[in-house]
Amino acid sequence: MKKLLISSLSLIAIVDAVAQNNVDQLQNNSGDPIVPLTSEPMIGIIFPILFISFLVFMLISVVKYFLEFRLKNKMIDRGMTEKILDYSLNKNDDNKFDDVIKLAILFCGLGMGLAITYLAGPINILSIAIMAFSIGLSFLTYFFYLRKRKK
């Protein structure tokens, strides 16, 4: 079932990435040209990137879960107790909270970068520089957060 789901999602991602929207050739039954729902170029760029990144994140999570499960089973077969395995394989609550904070700071930085990119005008090399700067600033903020938390 998982293979079918991953295969279908990857097929959808490939079709979405390769699909082209040629408005000049699209017409309805009366011969009038069909106007696309949105004329924003950002929508055509952001949605495929978000979809593919979400797909990659899901794939990495599934592979990580599967490999940890196999490692745990092999360690149990060799005679380790489950209490020791849970302690060695699972993160504690502080690390989970830090991961959530990291993702929140990163997504806030991405959102601000996308907003600045949208307000800055057409998509060009400046947009990439703005996004790189906002992501870097997000990680710097997370670094200062960890440093303050460890004191």
Side-chain angles (χ1 to χ4, degrees):
M1 181 67 182
K2 291 179 186 178
K3 289 181 183 179
L4 179 66
L5 180 66
I6 291 172
S7 299
S8 62
L9 285 175
S10 61
L11 180 64
I12 290 171
I14 290 170
V15 168
D16 187 37
V18 176
Q20 297 177 359
N21 188 8
N22 192 353
V23 178
D24 296 334
Q25 296 176 356
L26 298 175
Q27 294 180 351
N28 60 10
N29 292 337
S30 64
D32 297 330
I34 297 175
V35 179
L37 294 176
T38 179
S39 62
E40 294 285 328
M42 290 289 289
I43 300 295
I45 294 171
I46 292 173
F47 282 149
I49 290 172
L50 287 176
F51 181 75
I52 291 172
S53 62
F54 178 71
L55 185 69
V56 167
F57 177 74
M58 280 184 46
L59 184 65
I60 289 172
S61 298
V62 167
V63 168
K64 180 183 171 191
Y65 175 76
F66 179 70
L67 291 176
E68 284 179 355
F69 179 75
R70 281 184 43 190
L71 178 66
K72 189 174 180 180
N73 282 341
K74 284 184 180 182
M75 292 176 128
I76 288 174
D77 289 342
R78 294 192 181 194
M80 295 182 100
T81 62
E82 282 195 46
K83 215 174 205 184
I84 295 172
L85 290 174
D86 287 338
Y87 179 74
S88 65
L89 292 178
N90 292 336
K91 296 179 179 179
N92 58 14
D93 291 335
D94 290 339
N95 287 345
K96 288 181 183 179
F97 182 74
D98 287 342
D99 287 344
V100 169
I101 293 294
K102 177 177 71 172
L103 288 175
I105 291 172
L106 184 64
F107 284 132
C108 286
L110 279 171
M112 288 191 310
L114 288 172
I116 293 170
T117 301
Y118 177 75
L119 296 174
I123 297 173
N124 53 17
I125 194 73
L126 176 67
S127 303
I128 296 172
I130 291 171
M131 290 303 298
F133 180 75
S134 65
I135 291 171
L137 194 62
S138 297
F139 279 117
L140 183 67
T141 306
Y142 178 65
F143 169 74
F144 286 132
Y145 164 76
L146 284 180
R147 203 163 135 197
K148 182 180 176 185
R149 185 171 164 91
K150 298 296 180 193
K151 287 184 180 180

